[in-house]
Amino acid sequence: MNELMEKVDNLIDSIDNTKQVKDIKDINKLIMEDEGLLDLIKRYNETQDENLKKEIINNKLFKDYKEKETELNVLILDINSKLKDISNKGKCGL
């Protein structure tokens, strides 16, 4: 069991060190420092104003974040696919 936990920890470390995770963390930090964008998001959450939504969507940092989020989701799908393959291979021996 310890070996499995060690492998899971190594997998987590590997994922944390991917370009996708590093990029999204960097952009998230920039967003948290952008008071103008944060204010737009807060006001949109309060009002659901479509003009504010358009302004947020057109923000460069927001666009960059969504692009990196998509890249990270692709990585997650790839990992899930590989885990499914591993899981299916293990069932063949039963």
Side-chain angles (χ1 to χ4, degrees):
M1 187 63 148
N2 285 338
E3 182 181 344
L4 176 61
M5 293 302 294
E6 191 174 314
K7 287 183 179 188
V8 169
D9 287 341
N10 288 339
L11 176 61
I12 291 169
D13 289 342
S14 294
I15 292 169
D16 281 344
N17 289 316
T18 63
K19 181 180 181 338
Q20 294 89 341
V21 171
K22 288 179 181 181
D23 286 350
I24 205 163
K25 284 181 179 181
D26 290 343
I27 291 173
N28 193 47
K29 183 178 177 187
L30 293 173
I31 288 172
M32 294 315 222
E33 295 170 353
D34 187 329
E35 292 181 20
L37 179 55
L38 293 176
D39 183 57
L40 283 174
I41 293 169
K42 180 181 176 188
R43 289 186 3 231
Y44 174 74
N45 285 333
E46 292 169 351
T47 65
Q48 303 297 307
D49 181 327
E50 287 299 314
N51 292 321
L52 291 173
K53 182 177 181 178
K54 288 177 187 175
E55 218 176 316
I56 293 166
I57 290 171
N58 289 323
N59 181 284
K60 181 176 176 2
L61 273 178
F62 183 81
K63 285 181 182 181
D64 290 347
Y65 181 87
K66 294 307 275 182
E67 179 183 322
K68 298 305 176 183
E69 181 182 53
T70 300
E71 290 175 12
L72 185 57
N73 284 332
V74 169
L75 174 65
I76 290 167
L77 287 171
D78 187 41
I79 291 168
N80 284 338
S81 175
K82 289 178 182 175
L83 289 172
K84 183 178 177 183
D85 287 346
I86 291 168
S87 177
N88 286 339
K89 287 178 185 174
K91 290 180 182 176
C92 293
L94 293 177

